Amino acid sequence: LAAQRTAIAIQHGRLYERERRIAETLQRSLLPAALPAGGPVEVAARYLPATAEIGGDWYDAIPLDGGALGLVLGDVSGHGIRAAALMAELRHALGAYAHDGRAPAEIAERLDGLMRRRGHENIATLVYGELAPGGTLRVVSAGHLPPLVAGAGGARLLELPAGPPLGCGGTWEHVELRLAPGATLVFYSDGLVERREEVLDTGLERLRAAAAKGPLEPDALCAHLVTALVPGGGSEDDVAVVAARPLPTRDASAGAPAPPRAASRGGPR
């Protein structure tokens, strides 16, 4: 009896490890192999898989007309192959909508409609922004953690309209603002800030404080945040970080970021 139960446990363990390897391979293959380089907006990213089950964190950087860069970071609920497959579906659909010239709020609306038409049981959070060479940013949040802006004067979290996660239905608004010259925009997943038995605000303040002391160059800032905030043994959840900033230009306008303003509203179709 002991040998029989041990054999079953070993078989289950092997099946779990096999599914984990498949999910991790699928997830990594669907993340961008390389980020856009040589344009007027520089970008960098980091991704660390969870030490437990593979989740559905994903990111992308999409070159747009006029030198702008579309930046996205999303998190699909659940773990394993199902989450990784939905992650791929959302990434490719968002890329198509962005290249088609859709506004950020409309992109969130269409992704939500896609998920509900397909009958997905999972939901997903997402933050998507279009960062132009002059520092103008249009950004929408679908239930995701607030983006961070790091600059010479420190770091702050952006207050965005609270749109629902994708797959739930609802309405979304994007806001438009201007980054100060030299400032860096950061998107991140909850694995970077959330800890068990700790309120989320504590993790967000830890992130803000670390960013305020870090470099502003995107690749160095990503490395700094991962080193400062991810435990030595790794995170129980996936960690994804994307940072971007416009390169200095001769006609870059100076001044502090303008207050966010609602620019568009979308709803389910």
Side-chain angles (χ1 to χ4, degrees):
L1 179 61
Q4 184 181 32
R5 291 180 176 177
T6 301
I8 293 173
I10 291 173
Q11 183 181 24
H12 287 172
R14 286 176 173 172
L15 290 174
Y16 169 79
E17 287 300 323
R18 179 175 179 270
E19 180 173 332
R20 175 185 167 84
R21 287 195 300 270
I22 293 173
E24 183 174 356
T25 301
L26 175 61
Q27 188 176 29
R28 285 190 176 277
S29 68
L30 293 170
L31 295 174
L35 296 173
V41 178
E42 60 177 340
V43 61
R46 292 290 189 279
Y47 168 73
L48 287 80
T51 56
E53 293 183 285
I54 297 300
D57 288 8
W58 61 283
Y59 65 89
D60 206 355
I62 307 161
L64 302 173
D65 293 340
L69 199 63
L71 302 167
V72 58
L73 197 148
D75 187 359
V76 175
S77 66
H79 300 85
I81 297 175
R82 185 183 298 273
L86 178 55
M87 175 200 78
E89 188 173 356
L90 291 175
R91 182 192 169 205
H92 291 306
L94 185 143
Y97 297 148
H99 283 299
D100 198 32
R102 305 288 180 181
E106 186 179 0
I107 289 176
E109 171 190 336
R110 288 176 173 267
L111 291 175
D112 172 78
L114 174 66
M115 288 183 62
R116 291 189 292 119
R117 285 194 302 272
R118 297 289 182 87
H120 287 294
E121 297 178 357
N122 305 68
I123 62 173
T125 67
L126 174 143
V127 58
Y128 171 72
E130 297 173 354
L131 183 58
T136 299
L137 172 68
R138 297 196 304 169
V139 59
V140 66
S141 175
H144 203 79
L145 296 171
L148 179 139
V149 175
R156 66 185 181 95
L157 297 169
L158 297 180
E159 295 183 5
L160 303 181
L166 303 177
C168 299
T171 60
W172 293 266
E173 295 179 30
H174 67 248
V175 299
E176 183 174 318
L177 55 89
R178 182 179 293 275
L179 303 185
T184 301
L185 175 70
V186 180
F187 293 167
Y188 54 93
S189 65
D190 54 4
L192 187 68
V193 294
E194 287 188 348
R195 301 291 181 269
R196 287 187 179 181
E197 301 179 356
E198 180 181 272
V199 296
L200 179 59
D201 287 347
T202 300
L204 292 176
E205 175 57 26
R206 184 167 51 239
L207 168 67
R208 190 204 62 77
K213 299 177 182 178
L216 296 181
E217 192 273 323
D219 189 68
L221 180 56
C222 285
H224 169 75
L225 293 178
V226 168
T227 300
L229 301 178
V230 178
S235 173
E236 294 182 357
D237 198 0
D238 295 351
V239 173
V241 185
V242 178
R245 69 170 178 177
L247 294 172
T249 58
R250 293 180 181 179
D251 58 350
S253 58
R261 61 181 179 86
S264 179
R265 182 184 295 270
R269 291 186 176 181

